[in-house]
Amino acid sequence: MTAQPDLTNWANYQNEIYLHGLEGRVPPFTTDLTALGASARDHLDSGAFGYVAGAAGSGATHRANREAFDRRRLIPRMLADATARDLRTTVLGTELPTPVLLAPVGVQSIVHPDGELATARAAASLGLPMVLSTASSYTLEQVAEANGEGPRWFQLYWPNDDEVCVSILDRARAAGFRTLVVTLDTWTLAWRPQDLDQSYLPFIRGVGTAIPFSDPAFRAGLAKPPEEDLDAAVLRWVPMFTGTDRSWDRLPFLREHWDGPIVLKGVQRPEDARRAVDSGADGIVVSNHGGRQVDGALASLDALPPIADAVGDRTEILFDSGIRTGADVLKALALGARAVLVGRPFAYGLAHAGEDGVRHVLRSLLADLDLTLALSGHRTPSELTPDDLWSR
């Protein structure tokens, strides 16, 4: 039985680790979240590792995401009475224990057999929202059961069949997913050499398809259920969720069929941010999909300040792409994000040790965040502003 973390003092994880050292115990794997990718390679086959770690084209956007964080430096304040901190924040009207959410990462069963179920349990144990991908290895209902009373959001890869889309949304709502995150930047897959060189795409093998394959509207369009004719199901699903771009005038369809908050993910231009707000979106995620979609694109962190200037007073801005450390979180918050989404690091933790691995990564990130907030001279995330950063 894993001890219940202290959700009021995230930095205590550091003390736990040092005290365990008195008993000859060390962490299950590294606490350096920037080293997790190299470490996870030993736990994954080449196809799975390439899928998680890979990027579009030359990898320039993936590299730019990290370089954008490195160009900016925190400017610590002294004698700031930061002994006690409070990491709580409010996102879309809901109080969260920290400004960190778990990003939608698909096909998690290629990383660990328990996949999204392990992630859901770890997230719930820390009170952090999990954003479940449409490309889940388990059904909406299975993940909701594993997540229990934990906060959960649902990410939509928008099917081009309206009946299937509505059916999936209805199931998500019934399973307790309260916020809808609509990914805009992945309506078709980018050129991803690491996957292409290995001819590796989980979906064509029926992996990461649990949500549609269990959906009654989707199954109604098949001559045989997926369990009896996998190829036919795959051939129906893949073109249904890839290959179709949409226009802004389609957003009212989602509002008609979803009564909770709607967040648009993948916004990188101020004019698109304004259009999102004008279209009634409750929030946006500034994201370039971790560098997985457009090679040579703007770093997500570089896109954040102009978007915050454009719509920060009109909507809630979340941030995604490149978060690895507590300092990264602080930099994104200082530039206008209300909260951040973290993806690859927890997936690497899942590869190392399943549920416990996800929990270790998240507790490490939050302890680092708490300590860096304190040592930079702040007590709450809301105190951070662009003046707390230096940029070369």
Side-chain angles (χ1 to χ4, degrees):
M1 179 71 69
T2 302
Q4 184 68 25
D6 180 358
L7 304 190
T8 63
N9 189 339
W10 298 100
N12 271 349
Y13 193 41
Q14 181 188 67
N15 299 332
E16 287 183 30
I17 291 173
Y18 284 135
L19 289 173
H20 288 162
L22 296 176
E23 304 170 358
R25 297 163 56 190
V26 297
F29 52 89
T30 183
T31 59
D32 179 358
L33 303 192
T34 66
L36 279 175
S39 177
R41 185 188 290 270
D42 296 334
H43 296 267
L44 298 171
D45 63 44
S46 60
F49 180 79
Y51 185 83
V52 176
S58 69
T61 306
H62 183 269
R63 293 191 298 273
N65 282 335
R66 292 302 310 151
E67 291 164 358
F69 282 104
D70 289 340
R71 285 198 310 273
R72 294 170 171 88
R73 296 285 188 267
L74 294 163
I75 310 172
R77 302 186 305 173
M78 296 298 109
L79 297 175
D81 192 24
T83 305
R85 282 88 56 200
D86 186 348
L87 266 59
R88 288 177 296 177
T89 191
T90 300
V91 176
L92 298 172
T94 299
E95 185 178 282
L96 303 181
T98 77
V100 175
L101 299 85
L102 279 69
V105 175
V107 288
Q108 293 182 30
S109 63
I110 66 173
V111 174
H112 187 279
D114 291 344
E116 292 82 0
L117 302 182
T119 299
R121 290 191 289 265
S125 73
L126 300 175
L128 304 182
M130 172 194 186
V131 187
L132 179 68
S133 171
T134 298
S136 172
S137 310
Y138 291 91
T139 69
L140 287 155
E141 295 78 12
Q142 289 171 321
V143 175
E145 182 178 4
N147 191 233
E149 298 301 315
R152 49 187 178 269
W153 299 10
F154 177 64
Q155 175 269 338
L156 180 70
Y157 285 126
W158 196 338
N160 59 29
D161 183 307
D162 286 352
E163 289 188 13
V164 172
C165 183
V166 171
S167 180
I168 290 174
L169 293 180
D170 286 346
R171 289 171 59 204
R173 186 186 308 104
F177 293 85
R178 299 305 178 207
T179 296
L180 180 66
V181 179
V182 185
T183 295
L184 306 178
D185 58 14
T186 314
W187 56 270
T188 194
L189 294 179
W191 187 258
R192 300 177 182 174
Q194 285 183 290
D195 296 336
L196 291 163
D197 288 353
Q198 301 180 80
S199 300
Y200 187 85
L201 186 63
F203 311 112
I204 63 174
R205 296 172 170 81
V207 181
T209 55
I211 291 175
F213 284 11
S214 62
D215 189 79
F218 178 83
R219 293 169 71 94
L222 299 172
K224 297 180 180 179
E227 301 89 327
E228 297 179 17
D229 192 343
L230 178 62
D231 290 346
V234 168
L235 289 174
R236 173 167 164 77
W237 174 242
V238 171
M240 188 182 291
F241 88 107
T242 65
T244 302
D245 196 7
R246 289 173 178 78
S247 57
W248 290 98
D249 60 9
R250 286 287 288 154
L251 288 177
F253 171 82
L254 296 179
R255 177 61 69 190
E256 179 183 353
H257 295 285
W258 185 266
D259 57 8
I262 296 178
V263 176
L264 302 184
K265 181 175 181 287
V267 177
Q268 299 169 72
R269 300 172 68 101
E271 55 266 41
D272 283 347
R274 294 188 189 96
R275 192 72 180 267
V277 176
D278 292 341
S279 299
D282 299 289
I284 60 174
V285 182
V286 178
S287 169
N288 57 32
H289 215 90
R292 293 168 63 81
Q293 282 300 97
V294 179
D295 190 28
L298 182 69
S300 193
L301 195 69
D302 288 334
L304 178 58
I307 289 176
D309 289 342
V311 300
D313 60 344
R314 301 175 58 198
T315 195
E316 295 203 6
I317 300 173
L318 307 181
F319 175 87
D320 171 276
S321 300
I323 295 288
R324 296 294 182 272
T325 68
D328 294 341
V329 178
L330 297 187
K331 292 172 186 179
L333 299 180
L335 292 176
R338 177 65 62 86
V340 306
L341 284 72
V342 59
R344 284 186 179 97
F346 87 72
Y348 294 143
L350 181 67
H352 279 85
E355 177 185 344
D356 288 340
V358 175
R359 188 180 294 105
H360 170 64
V361 166
L362 294 174
R363 292 193 72 192
S364 296
L365 175 64
L366 295 173
D368 184 16
L369 168 59
D370 192 1
L371 290 165
T372 307
L373 182 72
L375 293 169
S376 63
H378 300 279
R379 291 167 293 185
T380 68
S382 63
E383 293 179 356
L384 293 156
T385 73
D387 290 338
D388 293 306
L389 300 180
W390 173 88
S391 178
R392 69 173 186 265

